[in-house]
Amino acid sequence: MNDLASTAAPGRTLCPPAVRAALRRAVPGLAAYAAIRLLGLAVLMAWSAASGKDWHTLLTARWDSLWYTRVAEQGYGYTVHLANGAVHSNLAFFPLLPWLERGLSALTPLTAADAGLAVAWLASLAAAWALYATGERLHGPRAGVALAALWAALPVGIVQSMAYSESLFTALAAWGVHAVLTGRWVWAGALASLAGLTRPVGAAVVAAVWITAAVTVANERAGGVRWRTLLGGRHRRMLFGILLAPLGWCGYVVWVGVRQGSPTGYLDVQGGWGNGFDGGIAFARFVGHQLAGPALPAGLGLLAGVALVIWLYVHGVRKGQPLPLAVYGGTVLFIALTAKGYFGSKPRLMMPAFPLLLPLAAGLARWRPARSWPVIAVVAAGSAVYGAFWLNGSGPP
């Protein structure tokens, strides 16, 4: 097997030579990812200079990044009451990123905001490595490089370079799903727990661990494996991973509930922001409003975008995408499309759903480099321009 986990004995930590070998294989994917993101940053710097804005401020001190920095510096408890009755509490923001910001700023001269930027940049490289390892395992090295490059070149890829939690979450989620793929259940559970401390959609990683484990045991039982065997060493590690997986997500949600004095405390906090789950009703109404008014082209574009991501998911599943990836990607997509809230943020919310890009990466891997790389270059250039335009304008909510 051509992946990070296959080079180590089951149940043991990876030795440094194995890590170095895996990293050497990933260098082309990391280089492609870094080049695309550096292009995005260069275009952002030039655009911001022409607009009289500071690119550093755009990356570290707007929207969510401000809230994360405030949690890192002051802790939880900050609330804003808006004129329309909305109540914005910083309890809506999961704690792992601000914890890292606080720790890094305490150990270095960096401010909390700059520490958040450093975490995001390092985590984005870790995510690119995980994406390379996943693509390499399933479709070969060229697919691994293409997957990392496509993720970097997403239209909202600039968020990966901001002091936001998307890069950190994607790194933890992608390595967690990779651990499930390679049968390293304790690692999978630990990474799922950390992902659950990073964003609400950490539940998607928990689902990938639990459902894959359930199907694995069911298949082994159907094959005649006895329960006594299922209680052996490998399955004990599976059980431990299953128990670990939800601790981060559940722990924070329960803590917020206790702090708020209500079992639905976290849902109430999200409701104050206008967020929550309504099965996609609000999103459907928003699209319908666009289609019925002068914003018809925007409405058609939204429909086309939703149709594309659903098609990519279905296509990947029909092509035999492994169960952990299918569960994780499908759960992220489902949560993003069925949640209410500010609809301009949906592309950002879907960014961690990297399995949607696997069919495209596999297709590009079958092309000759003389054909595939110009396509990636054009997409990367478009992403860089759009990211600079977006962040100098309305930007990510």
Side-chain angles (χ1 to χ4, degrees):
M1 290 186 295
N2 237 358
D3 54 69
L4 179 64
S6 65
T7 57
R12 297 183 182 179
T13 57
L14 292 170
C15 61
V19 175
R20 289 197 296 269
L23 182 56
R24 280 196 298 269
R25 294 199 307 272
V27 164
L30 293 174
Y33 176 83
I36 293 171
R37 292 299 342 124
L38 286 173
L39 173 64
L41 289 173
V43 173
L44 174 65
M45 291 177 187
W47 195 302
S48 300
S51 303
K53 296 181 179 180
D54 179 21
W55 66 271
H56 179 264
T57 300
L58 295 177
L59 295 178
T60 61
R62 296 181 78 184
W63 302 293
D64 288 11
S65 56
L66 287 172
W67 286 87
Y68 283 119
T69 299
R70 188 175 285 113
V71 173
E73 294 176 339
Q74 303 173 12
Y76 285 106
Y78 180 79
T79 301
V80 175
H81 295 266
L82 303 182
N84 63 1
V87 179
H88 290 182
S89 167
N90 65 0
L91 290 168
F93 296 88
F94 276 51
L96 186 57
L97 177 58
W99 284 349
L100 293 174
E101 290 179 344
R102 179 183 299 176
L104 188 57
S105 63
L107 296 173
T108 68
L110 295 174
T111 65
D114 285 336
L117 193 62
V119 169
W121 287 8
L122 292 173
S124 69
L125 288 171
W129 185 4
L131 267 59
Y132 172 84
T134 301
E136 177 196 43
R137 178 178 178 83
L138 298 178
H139 302 290
R142 289 173 62 180
V145 174
L147 183 59
L150 287 174
W151 190 65
L154 288 173
V156 293
I158 190 63
V159 175
Q160 298 165 21
S161 301
M162 298 179 67
Y164 270 44
S165 62
E166 274 75 8
S167 291
L168 178 61
F169 174 79
T170 305
L172 294 168
W175 279 118
V177 172
H178 186 271
V180 179
L181 278 173
T182 53
R184 302 182 69 81
W185 292 101
V186 177
W187 275 106
L191 289 164
S193 187
L194 289 172
L197 282 170
T198 308
R199 294 189 62 79
V201 75
V205 194
V206 179
V209 173
W210 281 10
I211 293 176
T212 304
V215 171
T216 299
V217 171
N219 288 340
E220 291 181 357
R221 283 289 296 157
V225 178
R226 296 181 178 181
W227 282 112
R228 179 179 297 178
T229 303
L230 291 174
L231 296 176
R234 181 172 68 86
H235 292 89
R236 284 199 297 269
R237 291 191 292 274
M238 179 189 291
L239 178 60
F240 189 39
I242 291 171
L243 295 175
L244 274 176
L247 293 183
W249 188 90
C250 290
Y252 183 68
V253 170
V254 169
W255 179 80
V256 173
V258 172
R259 183 183 176 105
Q260 296 293 95
S262 169
T264 61
Y266 184 75
L267 295 178
D268 298 338
V269 168
Q270 286 287 2
W273 283 81
N275 299 326
F277 174 79
D278 67 353
I281 295 174
F283 185 44
R285 287 175 178 168
F286 176 77
V287 175
H289 178 74
Q290 301 296 306
L291 294 173
L296 176 63
L300 293 174
L302 278 172
L303 283 179
V306 171
L308 174 62
V309 295
I310 293 175
W311 179 84
L312 286 171
Y313 176 72
V314 173
H315 181 71
V317 171
R318 292 182 64 183
K319 288 293 184 178
Q321 192 169 95
L323 182 62
L325 289 164
V327 171
Y328 167 75
T331 305
V332 174
L333 182 60
F334 176 78
I335 291 173
L337 292 179
T338 58
K340 61 181 180 178
Y342 180 67
F343 303 112
S345 65
K346 288 195 180 292
R348 176 171 64 87
L349 298 179
M350 286 188 282
M351 190 170 64
F354 67 89
L356 301 179
L357 300 173
L358 267 170
L360 299 177
L364 285 171
R366 292 192 291 269
W367 291 8
R368 294 180 178 179
R371 290 182 62 198
S372 60
W373 280 110
V375 171
I376 292 175
V378 170
V379 175
S383 171
V385 172
Y386 180 73
F389 164 77
W390 192 41
L391 202 52
N392 275 275
S394 61

